[in-house]
Amino acid sequence: MPPSGIATSDRIDSLPLPIRHADDIFVDGVWTPADSSERRGVIDPATAHEWGSVPIGNSADLGAAVSSARRAFDRGRWPRMAPSERAAVLRRAADRLELLAQPLALTNTLENGTPVAESGGGATNAASIFRYFATLAPLLESDDVRPAPAGTHETLVRRDPIGVCALIAPWNFPINLVVVKLAPALLAGCTVVIKPASLTPLSVRFIVQALTEAGIPPGVVNVVTGSGELGDQLVRHPDIDKVAFTGSTEVGRKIARQCGELLRPVTLELGGKSSAIVLPDADLGVLRSALIRSTLRNTGQTCYISTRILVPDSRHDEIVATIVGTVAAAPQGDPLDPATVFGPSASVAQKESVLAHIAGARAQGAHVALGGDAASMPAPFSAGNFVEPTVLTQVSRDMSVAREEIFGPVLTVLRYGDVDEAVDLANATEFGLGGIVFGGDETVALQVAERVDSGSVGVNFFASNHAAPFGGRRDSGLGVEYGPEGLHAYLTYKSIHRRRRKA
Ligand code: NAP
Ligand code: MG
């Protein structure tokens, strides 16, 4: 952390941030002044200092962005290019993006408080997603020819791009959660309109820059900043063919309702409340080394993390001591400091919501084993949204903190008697996104992982894999991202029947 007393503005003014105040939207391949004169500040959640601003786009801005994407889809060359040529653009964009890693990381960190140890990997991660989807181009290169089972004819099965896609992202991973939609959409030949979250409107510009430098045709990618209300207009716009959303379950349900009425394809990556099952034979060294990443990543603001830790009665106190010791030893502070593990919550509203969850848990009888309050920090961080890393024990399955997503640096510990009870507890939530099983015998741990009713589970660690589907069950969403399965969401199929060709 810098010496206390450093002036907030000095801290940020000296940083190499290429974009601070923007008055434009990205349409037809150029940054164009927004029609709207309304603006929203971009605030550093570590200091409450407003350091940037963007337009709050209006319906004219949205209309311009959607029309641009529509024209590029209906008449432009992108959907008509060979998939391998589109893949080449994605690969070039990946190379360009890596060169922007530093300003991208600083911008992201000053938007949402993600520690630079995490945001510093954002460009590399996004580049690897572009490169992964580029490897899938051969899946699109030729039509399948499928003989009819009756032997009467054959059918050409074509994979066409689904059309103009609305990509709506949340603030917690503002680069990754755009790119995981954008890369398959672009490979498929779609055009897009991106609506970033209000808290994180600037970092997405580095993706636009990389794609522009890579030679993407004008109109294929469009960006409009604005509110949730603008997101709603985008979802309902008549020229949108598909919606891809990551965010809260509440907003996801609203979007699903709209798309249901419109019969508009939609993928939803929503909230989670995942469990870490610590089996009686777990190696506590493994638990210690994987704990922060798999249960509190990004100051607890990660959808799939296992924030409910299920601990066997037989080893309760020992495991709680490991958890408390590990969390207490992880430094909290200036997210620009590479040593920082826990930053601030991303907004005042988020901080208040986390503190309200903790207060509710206390009232319902949970024990605060670590933290539990707003963190007191030296200036200029005293004005930031810091919540103490917190461990709640004696949590029972009916408490709100055991059922609702907290989205802050808070772990809940629940006890179990036998493994059946652990699995039952893990599955006793409305969500089904992530999970992890810690166990000394990996064969047994894998068997337990198979019983966890969720889209992804790790054994002794958790890491996503660009080549494997990621998605939630029940209230955690609809559909998947990543892998060939994630590409399917951006395709529409067409069967062309013809007489069989004589050999
Ligand atoms: P959010 O409030 O649902 O917002 C997500 C995005 O939707 C933002 O761009 C938001 O715009 C926009 N939006 C708000 N209302 C809308 C509406 N009625 N129609 C269309 N768009 C609308 O979520 P958040 O608070 O940013 O993000 C946190 C949530 O995301 C958590 O629940 C977390 O679990 C979830 N998440 C899920 C995954 C996953 O892959 N499953 C990954 C990360 C996060 P504004 O920002 O302008 O309001
Ligand atoms: Mg929100």
Side-chain angles (χ1 to χ4, degrees), residues 27-38:
V27 171
D28 283 322
V30 281
W31 288 101
T32 312
D35 178 77
S36 167
S37 53
E38 258 196 286

Side-chain angles (χ1 to χ4, degrees), residues 170-171 197 199 247-248 250-251 350:
W171 47 260
L199 294 180
S248 61
E250 184 193 356
V251 173
Q350 198 61 34

